[in-house]
Amino acid sequence: QVELDVTSYNAAMSVCERSDEWQRALCLVRKMRQVALEADTFTYNSAISACGAGQRWIDSVYMLADMRQQCLELDVVSFNSAISACEKSHRWQGALHLLSDLSRQRVEPTAVTYSALLSACDKSEQWQRAVHLLRDMRVRHLEPDEVASSIGISACDKGEHWEQVLCLLVDTVLCRRARDAAVEKVVISAFDKGFQERFV
């Protein structure tokens, strides 16, 4: 009988992650405990990502807590995967809490971190928080990519704060980010709202 090692389990975990098999991913983590194998950071990151794809945000958060109990290093991939899980489940509060937790762990967020956070805020129409996140990105010298800029503009437009939309548009142009058709549509809407407020 062939005994499986951590590398073998991690390979299986990667398959679960790519195929969104969050149930199997959690089973593999439990199985490793049963056979006295110590899961590593890669193991947990894959499990967290699989849970996120299955919109199992609470399981992703539990996986992070389990990593702490096992004294494993929580890296930016760990947090990004959990934040993405919250974003997919429309849990913007949980996503922002994880950002605070990330800072306490002295892990540096990336543009990917903020894109997931902005998407979470956008889905819940938390435009003020989206603007704050974009400002925080600038403080950290992280340039918003096309996705982050589009989400920020969309969030502001949903909150009917067209002034913020135009400011974000300027930032987007200055950062040399291309504007796609969806962004242009939102900007046109912002101009319309602005003119209506001024002249109606």
Side-chain angles (χ1 to χ4, degrees):
Q1 183 178 358
V2 178
E3 292 187 4
L4 300 179
D5 57 11
V6 174
T7 302
S8 301
Y9 275 96
N10 283 349
M13 191 71 73
S14 295
V15 175
C16 293
E17 178 186 3
R18 292 193 298 271
S19 56
D20 300 339
E21 293 284 349
W22 64 269
Q23 300 99 326
R24 293 183 183 275
L26 296 181
C27 286
L28 286 173
V29 173
R30 289 194 292 267
K31 181 64 176 179
M32 291 181 74
R33 291 175 183 165
Q34 293 172 5
V35 297
L37 280 177
E38 294 184 0
D40 56 19
T41 300
F42 180 89
T43 310
Y44 277 96
N45 285 351
S46 297
I48 292 170
S49 180
C51 289
Q55 297 187 10
R56 302 289 298 184
W57 70 275
I58 193 66
D59 289 310
S60 294
V61 174
Y62 283 151
M63 287 287 104
L64 282 181
D66 201 14
M67 289 180 73
R68 292 192 185 91
Q69 291 180 354
Q70 302 297 325
C71 297
L72 291 173
E73 177 186 2
L74 279 72
D75 58 19
V76 69
V77 176
S78 310
F79 282 101
N80 285 354
S81 298
I83 289 171
S84 179
C86 290
E87 176 264 327
K88 289 182 174 67
S89 301
H90 297 258
R91 299 284 178 171
W92 64 270
Q93 300 98 326
L96 292 179
H97 177 77
L98 287 171
L99 176 64
S100 300
D101 196 11
L102 180 149
S103 299
R104 286 193 295 271
Q105 296 289 328
R106 297 183 179 180
V107 176
E108 286 296 323
T110 65
V112 174
T113 311
Y114 280 95
S115 290
L117 290 164
L118 285 164
S119 180
C121 291
D122 177 46
K123 288 179 178 178
S124 301
E125 299 187 0
Q126 297 293 319
W127 73 270
Q128 290 178 316
R129 298 179 190 278
V131 172
H132 177 76
L133 288 169
L134 286 166
R135 289 172 179 166
D136 194 28
M137 288 187 74
R138 286 194 285 270
V139 170
R140 294 178 181 272
H141 304 290
L142 294 172
E143 288 190 4
D145 57 15
E146 290 182 45
V147 175
S149 298
S150 298
I151 291 172
I153 291 171
S154 174
C156 292
D157 180 60
K158 287 180 180 178
E160 297 187 356
H161 289 269
W162 60 272
E163 299 96 333
Q164 293 287 353
V165 175
L166 300 183
C167 288
L168 287 173
L169 175 64
V170 171
D171 285 345
T172 302
V173 173
L174 291 177
C175 290
R176 299 176 183 177
R177 301 300 183 188
R179 288 165 293 167
D180 57 19
V183 174
E184 291 181 358
K185 182 178 180 181
V186 173
V187 171
I188 292 172
S189 173
F191 272 113
D192 288 342
K193 292 175 183 177
F195 282 121
Q196 288 175 8
E197 289 183 12
R198 289 177 179 271
F199 300 110
V200 176

